[in-house]
Amino acid sequence: VDLVVIGGGLAGLSAALTVLDRGGTVVVLEKQGHLGGNSAWASSGVNAVDVNNTKSGDSVASFTADTLRGAQIPNSTLIPVLTAGSVDSLAWLRSRLAENLELDLVGQMGGHSFPRTHRPSQGLAGSAIIFALEKQLKKYLHKTHDGGAQYELRKWTRATSILTSSDGATVAGVSYGSGAAQDPH
C-alpha cells in the first residue's frame, strides 16, 4: 500500500484519487458508514479564481486581499498559498471530475470583491463533489496483477494510532479497527 488515507472527506478522497491516477495503491479508512465527512454538507461552493474567465476581473491578488481582510490579519504566509492554489484546484475539479460534476454556476459571496464561488446548478456543492470523487474512485476497485485491489475502502473503521519507525522519524503505518480489534497496515 502506497497511501493510507484517514478520513473520506474532500481532502482525503482527492489525495486518494491523485495517488491512484499515478499508479499507486490506496486504502481509505472512514469512521462513518458513508463518505463525505463535513465536506458533504458544504453548500456554498468552491472559492477559486478562474483564470479562464477574464470577464470577471478576478485575480489571485484580489482573492488574497479579500481573504486577508476577512481574516482580519495584515499578512499571512498561508493565505497566498491557498489563493494561488485555488487556480489549479478548480482546474483539477473541472477536468478530473468532468464526467460526474459540472461547476456551472459562479456567485459572489460575502467578503468577495468578485464572483468566485463555483457550484453545481443542482444540490449541495460538497455532496456533488463527494459523489463525483466516489464515482471515479470506484473505477479503481479492480484487482491488480498480484491479486490485491488498487483501491480499498474500509467504512466503519477508525485509525487508532500512527506507527512510526524506531527512531520516530518516519511514518511506518497505521493501526486501525473498531473496538478492541486493531490491524496494523
Side-chain angles (χ1 to χ4, degrees):
V1 174
D2 296 306
L3 176 68
V4 176
V5 174
I6 301 171
L10 179 57
L13 297 180
S14 297
L17 186 56
T18 299
V19 169
L20 289 165
D21 284 346
R22 294 176 182 175
T25 56
V26 177
V27 174
V28 174
L29 307 178
E30 172 52 52
K31 67 182 177 183
Q32 300 294 324
H34 55 84
L35 294 174
N38 289 330
S39 303
W41 299 104
S43 60
S44 296
V46 177
N47 295 322
V49 176
D50 184 354
V51 295
N52 297 316
N53 183 3
T54 56
K55 293 179 188 176
S56 76
D58 199 9
S59 67
V60 171
S62 295
F63 190 11
T64 301
D66 290 348
T67 306
L68 287 167
R69 188 172 41 259
Q72 299 179 353
I73 56 176
N75 202 353
S76 166
T77 57
L78 295 178
I79 289 174
V81 173
L82 169 83
T83 56
S86 76
V87 174
D88 289 340
S89 295
L90 180 62
W92 184 83
L93 286 169
R94 285 185 167 159
S95 65
R96 187 60 186 86
L97 303 181
E99 185 179 339
N100 301 102
L101 178 70
E102 190 173 332
L103 298 173
D104 50 346
L105 298 179
V106 182
Q108 184 169 342
M109 304 305 244
H112 293 181
S113 53
F114 297 96
R116 71 171 67 99
T117 304
H118 305 267
R119 56 174 290 112
S121 57
Q122 300 289 320
L124 297 174
S127 60
I129 295 169
I130 296 296
F131 173 79
L133 282 164
E134 193 171 6
K135 287 287 212 182
Q136 295 304 311
L137 287 166
K138 284 182 180 178
K139 295 177 182 181
Y140 286 101
L141 288 171
H142 63 276
K143 300 289 182 189
T144 61
H145 65 278
D146 64 358
Q150 189 175 359
Y151 166 63
E152 186 179 338
L153 172 61
R154 295 188 181 202
K155 295 179 182 176
W156 298 113
T157 304
R158 287 187 181 272
T160 54
S161 65
I162 305 293
L163 307 174
T164 58
S165 59
S166 59
D167 64 0
T170 59
V171 173
V174 177
S175 290
Y176 59 91
S178 58
Q182 293 186 4
D183 184 12
H185 206 75

